[in-house]
């Protein structure tokens, strides 16, 4: 049995080769929900959906976001209507009092859907409508995720990190921003001052999460701060990782980040913006998998390989390195 912690695109790319070493029916994936955002009244769970679309064989692998071949007619219509009305293109974060009204699961991540700032495909939007409707019917996020995952034919167990709202908020030199505003709308350009996982202190691990963390744990090459950090901020999860076997894959190739604003975010939380910062980000890790050209010295066992992942063969190679690392520290 093995459990993967997943956020962004790094761990999903690794999962493309996971079956070579880990049987899907013995694999659990815990997904980050700190990036979740409510847009126009719909709850979007980007990191959960990437895994669902990947497992269902419909993921847009060019963007690692959304459904391959999806249309965006509703998104375009929203822009046309907004332009005709002279509406601000946003992103328009709703007022504080609106962040905590009604459905708790969407607290502190609510944006206006007028001239939406994230391009949402039409089939993709159908998933968000379904998820939000299930929540409104009284289902938890875990229950909604399980129903949607089964509908897409997933063979792994997929769990959100928590049923409670946790929002990754970025404090910048231009003000407070939800991570989606910072990264999607602003391209990660504002200078990061600090990172906050709002709601994490009151959140609980979703059902099944702590049990899954009794198994060997693999942290893929995801962003340690905003993809994995929200999970670690939920009480009980970091403690569980100290008591199990953990192997982490570096998100840095030859000192450069796989993707996304990893370096500046790690600097903002006091970690070196390279693979050396992994021991700060993951002090509980028993072993690391790093790039073969990375000569950084670590205090834990290290397996080196080419960790670039551009397809399933690359993912299988890195997965075998993970398996080797687990065998060394078990």
């Amino acid at each position: 049995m093995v459990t993967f912690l997943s956020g962004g695109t790094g761990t999903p790319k690794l999962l493309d080769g996971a079956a070579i070493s880990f049987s899907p029916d013995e694999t659990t994936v815990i997904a980050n929900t700190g990036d979740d955002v409510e847009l126009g009244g719909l709850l979007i769970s980007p990191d959960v959906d990437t895994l669902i679309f990947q497992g269902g064989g419909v993921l847009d692998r060019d963007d690692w976001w959304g459904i391959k071949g999806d249309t965006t007619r509703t998104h375009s219509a929203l822009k046309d209507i907004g332009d005709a009305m002279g509406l601000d293109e946003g992103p328009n974060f709703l007022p504080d009092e609106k962040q905590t009204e009604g459905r708790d699961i969407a607290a502190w991540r609510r944006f206006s859907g007028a001239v939406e700032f994230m391009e949402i495909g039409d089939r993709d939007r159908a998933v968000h409508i379904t998820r939000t409707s299930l929540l409104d019917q009284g289902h938890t996020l875990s229950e909604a995720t399980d129903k949607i995952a089964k509908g897409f034919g997933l063979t792994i167990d997929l769990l959100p990190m928590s049923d409670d709202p946790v929002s990754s908020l970025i404090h910048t030199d231009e003000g407070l921003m939800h991570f989606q505003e910072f990264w999607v709308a602003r391209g990660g350009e504002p200078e990061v001052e600090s990172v906050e996982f709002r709601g994490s202190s009151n959140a609980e691990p979703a059902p099944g999460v702590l049990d899954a963390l009794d198994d060997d744990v693999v942290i893929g090459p995801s962003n340690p701060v905003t993809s994995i950090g929200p999970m670690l901020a939920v009480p009980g999860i970091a403690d569980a990782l100290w008591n199990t076997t953990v192997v982490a894959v570096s998100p840095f190739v030859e000192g450069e980040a796989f993707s996304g604003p990893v370096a500046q975010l790690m600097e903002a939380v006091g970690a070196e913006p390279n693979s050396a910062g992994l021991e700060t980000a993951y002090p509980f890790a028993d072993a690391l998998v790093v790039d073969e050209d990375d000569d950084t010295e670590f205090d834990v066992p290290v397996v080196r390989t080419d960790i670039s992942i551009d397809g399933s063969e690359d993912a299988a190679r890195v997965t075998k390195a993970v398996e080797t690392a687990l065998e060394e520290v078990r």
Side-chain angles (χ1 to χ4, degrees):
M1 301 291 290
V2 65
T3 296
F4 288 80
L5 303 188
S6 181
T9 64
T11 303
K13 288 181 178 180
L14 177 63
L15 286 167
D16 265 354
I20 194 171
S21 299
F22 309 109
S23 172
D25 61 4
E26 295 183 344
T27 298
T28 300
V29 182
I30 301 172
N32 169 46
T33 58
D35 291 357
D36 287 11
V37 62
E38 185 178 304
L39 186 62
L42 300 179
L43 183 64
I44 301 168
S45 294
D47 292 348
V48 171
D49 288 341
T50 293
L51 294 163
I52 288 175
F53 298 156
Q54 178 186 26
V58 298
L59 178 66
D60 183 341
R61 290 173 177 271
D62 291 329
D63 295 331
W64 283 84
W65 157 267
I67 295 175
K68 182 179 180 180
D70 206 352
T71 56
T72 56
R73 292 176 182 175
T74 303
H75 176 82
S76 298
L78 285 167
K79 185 178 187 309
D80 292 342
I81 293 168
D83 288 347
M85 296 172 63
L87 297 179
D88 182 1
E89 291 191 6
N92 295 305
F93 200 56
L94 296 184
D96 286 356
E97 63 273 15
K98 295 294 185 182
Q99 296 293 336
T100 53
E101 284 184 350
R103 190 186 317 111
D104 289 341
I105 196 69
W108 295 110
R109 43 193 169 192
R110 288 176 164 167
F111 287 85
S112 168
V115 198
E116 61 187 13
F117 73 97
M118 299 171 70
E119 185 176 64
I120 307 297
D122 297 318
R123 293 171 63 198
D124 191 2
R125 193 182 306 274
V127 174
H128 308 323
I129 292 172
T130 301
R131 173 188 295 112
T132 307
S133 296
L134 288 170
L135 295 173
D136 286 343
Q137 290 170 20
H139 292 284
T140 65
L141 182 59
S142 294
E143 292 167 344
T145 298
D146 182 61
K147 289 179 180 295
I148 297 170
K150 287 178 177 175
F152 276 81
L154 262 66
T155 56
I156 60 172
D157 289 330
L158 175 60
L159 306 174
M161 68 185 198
S162 178
D163 286 336
D164 300 312
V166 178
S167 295
S168 297
L169 303 180
I170 313 299
H171 295 262
T172 79
D173 61 343
E174 299 180 29
L176 178 68
M177 301 178 186
H178 187 280
F179 177 75
Q180 298 294 355
E181 178 179 356
F182 168 76
W183 182 237
V184 176
R186 305 296 297 278
E189 292 183 357
E191 183 177 343
V192 180
E193 296 175 347
S194 62
V195 180
E196 174 188 357
F197 303 121
R198 186 166 295 182
S200 61
S201 61
N202 296 319
E204 295 181 359
V209 165
L210 294 183
D211 287 340
L213 296 179
D214 284 338
D215 299 325
D216 292 340
V217 174
V218 177
I219 302 177
S222 297
N223 185 324
V225 181
T226 52
S227 290
I228 305 300
M231 301 189 214
L232 305 183
V234 175
I237 291 183
D239 288 343
L241 293 173
W242 279 104
N243 294 307
T244 194
T245 301
V246 180
V247 170
V249 181
S250 174
F252 296 94
V253 178
E254 297 183 13
E256 296 295 326
F258 252 93
S259 62
V262 180
Q264 59 177 313
L265 289 169
M266 288 188 71
E267 285 184 317
V269 298
E272 290 188 51
N274 48 45
S275 60
L278 294 178
E279 289 190 315
T280 300
Y282 305 139
F284 44 73
D286 298 288
L288 299 172
V289 174
V290 303
D291 193 67
E292 59 191 0
D293 292 324
D294 189 332
D295 58 3
T296 305
E297 295 184 0
F298 299 93
D299 293 331
V300 297
V302 174
V303 175
R304 287 181 166 82
T305 187
D306 177 1
I307 63 170
S308 58
I309 302 178
D310 296 315
S312 58
E313 291 185 3
D314 294 333
R317 179 186 62 250
V318 180
T319 297
K320 293 299 290 185
V322 168
E323 186 178 25
T324 298
L326 285 170
E327 291 172 351
E328 285 191 14
V329 296
R330 279 190 180 120

